[in-house]
């Protein structure tokens, strides 16, 4: 995640700007947190990907395998503990991690089809947001 993208990101809960706490950085933020100073929610950045989900515990409740993978990928102990605590609070339902992985593979195999071209063209015609 690039520092320059922070100006476009907002807290999904209160829509306020987010501030970065960086643990590891090269030309981009590799690990850290995005903090909402208004509502005090925190969003992890792991492997340069910001995980901006309002209810991470709820998200992990149907994706505990993904939570485990993220915990293993995190190098910073504070980040590991954050993910671990979110996983501890989950009430595990059916794990959809593999199902989502299968859909991603289907997309990757078919993203050059005429169907996806039609969808992309429709999306391009949608009005853009001015932040």
């Amino acid at each position: 995640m690039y520092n320059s993208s922070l100006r476009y990101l907002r807290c999904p809960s209160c829509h306020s700007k987010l501030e970065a706490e960086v643990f590891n950085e090269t030309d981009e933020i590799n690990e850290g947190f995005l903090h909402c100073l208004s509502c005090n929610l925190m969003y992890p950045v792991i492997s340069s990907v910001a995980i901006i989900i309002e209810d991470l515990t709820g998200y992990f409740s149907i994706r505990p395998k993904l939570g485990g993978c993220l915990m293993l990928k995190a190098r910073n102990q504070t980040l590991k503990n954050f993910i671990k605590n979110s996983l501890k609070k989950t009430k595990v339902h059916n794990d959809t991690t593999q199902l989502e992985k299968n859909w991603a593979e289907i997309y990757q195999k078919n993203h050059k089809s005429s169907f996806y071209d039609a969808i992309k063209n429709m999306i391009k015609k949608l009005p853009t947001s001015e932040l």
Side-chain angles (χ1 to χ4, degrees):
M1 166 186 169
Y2 292 102
N3 261 320
S4 60
S5 61
L6 269 175
R7 64 181 169 179
Y8 301 109
L9 300 176
R10 298 289 182 267
C11 175
S13 180
C14 71
H15 310 291
S16 296
K17 289 184 178 183
L18 299 171
E19 188 174 287
E21 176 186 356
V22 180
F23 299 138
N24 181 292
E25 184 174 24
T26 53
D27 58 332
E28 60 183 328
I29 299 170
N30 299 317
E31 278 198 351
F33 284 107
L34 299 179
H35 291 273
C36 176
L37 300 179
S38 295
C39 66
N40 291 321
L41 288 176
M42 294 178 15
Y43 308 98
V45 177
I46 301 171
S47 297
S48 303
V49 177
I51 304 166
I52 304 174
I53 298 172
E54 189 173 354
D55 181 13
L56 193 61
T57 299
Y59 187 77
F60 285 157
S61 70
I62 59 170
R63 298 167 185 90
K65 202 180 288 185
L66 174 63
C69 288
L70 290 174
M71 193 172 72
L72 292 173
K73 281 190 176 282
R75 293 188 177 145
N76 180 280
Q77 193 58 47
T78 304
L79 204 49
K80 283 182 179 285
N81 290 340
F82 179 82
I83 299 296
K84 192 176 192 177
N85 288 334
S86 290
L87 285 168
K88 280 182 184 177
K89 296 175 194 172
T90 61
K91 295 177 182 157
V92 178
H93 303 288
N94 292 333
D95 192 333
T96 62
T97 305
Q98 189 60 44
L99 177 65
E100 290 170 351
K101 203 175 197 179
N102 292 344
W103 278 110
E105 287 175 15
I106 289 169
Y107 169 76
Q108 289 170 352
K109 290 177 185 173
N110 296 298
H111 76 279
K112 293 183 181 178
S113 73
S114 59
F115 171 75
Y116 286 106
D117 285 340
I119 297 296
K120 286 178 197 174
N121 289 332
M122 289 173 63
I123 290 172
K124 286 179 187 175
K125 292 176 185 175
L126 294 173
T128 58
S129 172
E130 294 181 29
L131 291 176

